[in-house]
Amino acid sequence: MMDDAAKPTAMETLLATLDLEPIEVDIFRGRSPQVGWQRVFGGQVIGQALMAAQRTIEAERFVHSLHAYFMRPGDPSVPIVYQVERIRDGSSFNTRRVVAIQHGKAIFALSCSFQIEEPGFDHQLAMPDVLMPETLLGEQQIKEQYLAHAPAAVRKYWERERPIEIRPVSLTHYLSDKKLDPRQDVWVRATGPVPDSRHYQAAVLAYLSDMTLLDTSLYAHGTSIFDQSLQVASLDHSMWFHRPDKLEDWLLYTQDSPSACGARGLTRGSLFTRSGVLIASVAQEGLIRKKANE
């Protein structure tokens, strides 16, 4: 029986999950951690698909954007096969398309673009003025002070060991059915070392970019992704990588939802370093549908 000292950390498990097995030219196999999830976390599939694409690219070229569609829920009990198609290899840019397959069917598709590093115009929007992570409740404090009376789904989410620590600037959304402005600020950070590799750093950033987004589109309606009467799922996901970061410190994930309609909610996100450097932008549309009465 494995003791706690030998048990891999959540971050070590994530990095092992991103270390895909090559099984043929431009074909890779990925596995999911066996942690009791009913379906594969969307951020995992994004990160694995990006890693598969990166392994077909020259070392000095780096991802600058990705666009993905979730088509079927992933089954965590079986491997995912990633097939990479080399769409274009140009003098400055490379394009890849990746399809994730389980049980003989596509569950996810991603297109991504890579570029050589080159100088150019440089500007960014300012980071919002929010409380620093050290002034906020940590996950252990949240568990001790709030979880005893929280719904079971909320408790289960916060009690699970994760490779990414989350510190919301406000906890009102989790504890109230009050209708709020559809925006939130969340500090996030890796719970363990990330390799000094731009490829791994991009894949981990893609992984965490899928966290908390869908919830923002529910703020205006006084509910959350933990509402058992809702069917909630990511539909698509886009991400732009502006500037590299080693993921050694907290990042501010600031989010807003400009629209929800037609059983879909759109959320935009910006990821800033503590010092205010914008490293990535994100957009995601998700399904937010009331379940039919049984």
Side-chain angles (χ1 to χ4, degrees), residues 136-150:
L136 303 173
L137 293 178
E139 291 194 353
Q140 187 58 40
Q141 292 171 300
I142 291 172
K143 294 173 186 177
E144 293 172 354
Q145 297 184 29
Y146 290 100
L147 289 188
H149 305 291

Side-chain angles (χ1 to χ4, degrees), residues 102-286:
Q102 277 189 323
H103 304 297
K105 297 179 179 179
I107 65 168
F108 173 86
L110 174 142
S111 294
C112 50
S113 182
F114 300 81
Q115 183 188 10
I116 60 171
E117 291 194 293
E118 55 183 297
F121 295 112
D122 196 327
H123 80 273
Q124 67 161 78
L125 294 176
M127 183 176 79
D129 184 15
V130 300
L131 295 172
M132 289 290 107
E134 290 78 11
T135 68
L136 303 173
L137 293 178
E139 291 194 353
Q140 187 58 40
Q141 292 171 300
I142 291 172
K143 294 173 186 177
E144 293 172 354
Q145 297 184 29
Y146 290 100
L147 289 188
H149 305 291
V154 177
R155 291 200 306 272
K156 184 177 181 180
Y157 176 79
W158 282 101
E159 289 171 351
R160 177 185 294 140
E161 183 185 5
R162 295 189 299 264
I164 305 300
E165 182 179 357
I166 301 173
R167 287 194 185 180
V169 172
S170 171
L171 293 171
T172 303
H173 174 57
Y174 295 105
L175 307 169
S176 167
D177 59 2
K178 181 181 178 182
K179 294 183 178 181
L180 307 170
D181 288 339
R183 58 181 66 249
Q184 72 165 329
D185 296 295
V186 183
W187 288 97
V188 295
R189 72 171 175 182
T191 58
V194 177
D196 187 17
S197 157
R198 291 274 295 272
H199 288 178
Y200 270 98
Q201 291 158 11
V204 171
L205 195 64
Y207 174 93
L208 70 83
S209 73
D210 191 38
M211 302 177 76
T212 73
L213 274 176
L214 271 177
D215 222 19
T216 307
S217 64
L218 296 170
Y219 268 50
H221 309 282
T223 186
S224 77
I225 58 172
F226 303 116
D227 185 341
Q228 298 298 303
S229 71
L230 295 178
Q231 181 184 0
V232 181
S234 302
L235 295 173
D236 60 32
H237 192 94
S238 294
M239 189 169 185
W240 297 265
F241 300 79
H242 307 307
R243 299 166 180 87
D245 184 72
K246 293 183 179 296
L247 308 184
E248 296 174 333
D249 197 3
W250 289 100
L251 301 173
L252 178 67
Y253 202 177
T254 183
Q255 304 167 16
D256 70 273
S257 177
S259 175
C261 65
R264 302 183 314 277
L266 174 66
T267 303
R268 304 174 297 194
S270 300
L271 282 153
F272 295 91
T273 67
R274 179 194 294 268
S275 61
V277 177
L278 179 64
I279 63 170
S281 297
V282 182
Q284 182 182 95
E285 191 171 48

